[in-house]
Amino acid sequence: MSGQTQDMRYLTFALGKGRLADKTLALLEKIGITCEEMKDKNSRKLIFVNEELRFRFFLAKGSDVPTYVEYGAADIGVVGRDTILEENRRVYEVLDLGFGKCRMCVCGPAPAKELLQHHEMIRVASKYPKIAKDYFYDQKHQTVDIIKLNGSVELGPIVGLSDVIVDIVETGSTLKENGLEVLEEICPLSARMIVNQVSMKMEAERIKKLLQALKDVITTEANYENRKIID
Ligand code: PRP
């Protein structure tokens, strides 16, 4: 290892556990950033190091990733846009990674559509109370009662806890199997890269180089996908 590399400080990545982390690692691998240690599924280690490139990686609960990045415990994070909007942390959102695409929607049984037209006081269940509040209060100017749930949110209208839900829709099969549908779309979602505000200045060169390399791969892959559709 060269003296210069040894002096470089570690750039730390916080990755949201699960599919997003797997896809992020696959993307990083394409630009030559690998972490063999992390591929051992039996390992209980929480932090992994690439000594040569001076990168460190850790897996965290998705909703905690913006917190690690805001406080500088991680320089860079990868997390869904839903989490960024809900957590509202002081971080820079720098790149749409193009995977983990889905939509944040207001969903419910078809007749509940009517309840969204006339500013009625309705109950909204969600894992994302901030996103739900911002949408209903600031965009629709509708006063609603927001009920926080931690999962299986589709149960809300089925068991009579709420009139509608605000939740992520990917394939739509969870809604369909439970007799619910998308009533309104709030925003599109996908995996995003976020950066600590101080790191962006102090490590500008390394981070910009990383972002450019990622952008190049993402653009090339998108062009390839488009070509496949056209062909
Ligand atoms: C998410 C989301 C929906 C489902 C949407 O739940 O909250 O329930 O996925 O996916 P689909 O449109 O492809 O059916 P998740 O699996 O994260 O579990 P949760 O119910 O515990 O939130």
Side-chain angles (χ1 to χ4, degrees):
M1 197 184 290
S2 73
Q4 196 193 358
T5 311
Q6 261 174 338
D7 292 343
M8 243 183 347
R9 83 165 181 87
Y10 281 100
L11 267 190
T12 304
F13 289 72
L15 308 178
K17 262 188 245 174
R19 260 185 306 173
L20 280 195
D22 294 343
K23 290 202 163 181
T24 306
L25 290 172
L27 185 64
L28 289 172
E29 208 160 342
K30 287 181 189 154
I31 60 164
I33 300 175
T34 51
C35 192
E36 289 306 315
E37 272 190 307
M38 216 156 168
K39 290 181 184 161
D40 176 5
K41 298 280 176 211
N42 297 321
S43 174
R44 308 273 302 183
K45 257 177 87 170
L46 295 172
I47 188 143
F48 304 90
V49 182
N50 179 322
E51 294 282 357
E52 216 180 312
L53 297 170
R54 306 298 269 181
F55 286 131
R56 285 199 305 189
F57 302 88
F58 66 82
L59 296 176
K61 194 171 166 66
S63 50
D64 291 335
V65 167
T67 312
Y68 287 108
V69 175
E70 178 181 302
Y71 286 92
D75 301 285
I76 296 170
V78 173
V79 74
R81 184 174 178 228
D82 49 311
T83 305
I84 297 173
L85 295 173
E86 186 62 28
E87 295 299 317
N88 198 29
R89 293 281 175 183
R90 277 168 302 176
V91 296
Y92 293 133
E93 186 187 319
V94 292
L95 189 61
D96 182 345
L97 296 173
F99 54 77
K101 282 190 179 160
C102 48
R103 301 177 290 157
M104 185 63 75
C105 299
V106 181
C107 312
K113 203 170 176 79
E114 187 67 17
L115 302 172
L116 303 172
Q117 314 299 324
H118 312 291
H119 296 96
E120 291 195 43
M121 176 71 185
I122 57 169
R123 284 183 170 178
V124 181
S126 186
K127 273 201 292 194
Y128 303 92
K130 183 183 180 314
I131 294 176
K133 184 169 171 283
D134 288 350
Y135 181 67
F136 276 98
Y137 283 71
D138 300 343
Q139 287 195 46
K140 282 178 68 73
H141 306 292
Q142 181 171 3
T143 306
V144 296
D145 184 7
I146 294 166
I147 304 166
K148 161 96 198 265
L149 285 180
N150 296 298
S152 303
V153 180
E154 290 82 0
L155 277 173
I158 299 171
V159 300
L161 175 72
S162 67
D163 299 291
V164 296
I165 61 172
V166 164
D167 201 17
I168 289 173
V169 179
E170 192 182 350
T171 60
S173 52
T174 312
L175 290 178
K176 204 167 163 206
E177 284 181 35
N178 291 290
L180 306 174
E181 57 185 63
V182 171
L183 304 174
E184 287 178 0
E185 186 172 324
I186 300 178
C187 61
L189 304 169
S190 59
R192 305 292 163 101
M193 184 162 271
I194 55 175
V195 177
N196 171 270
Q197 296 186 341
V198 176
S199 308
M200 196 68 213
K201 291 194 185 76
M202 304 302 287
E203 295 290 334
E205 204 179 315
R206 284 171 85 193
I207 294 175
K208 279 185 187 153
K209 214 169 131 193
L210 167 78
L211 290 177
Q212 193 53 55
L214 288 172
K215 273 183 205 163
D216 291 346
V217 174
I218 294 166
T219 314
T220 309
E221 286 188 352
N223 287 342
Y224 178 69
E225 284 303 316
N226 285 342
R227 223 174 304 138
K228 269 201 309 196
I229 295 166
I230 295 163
D231 290 347

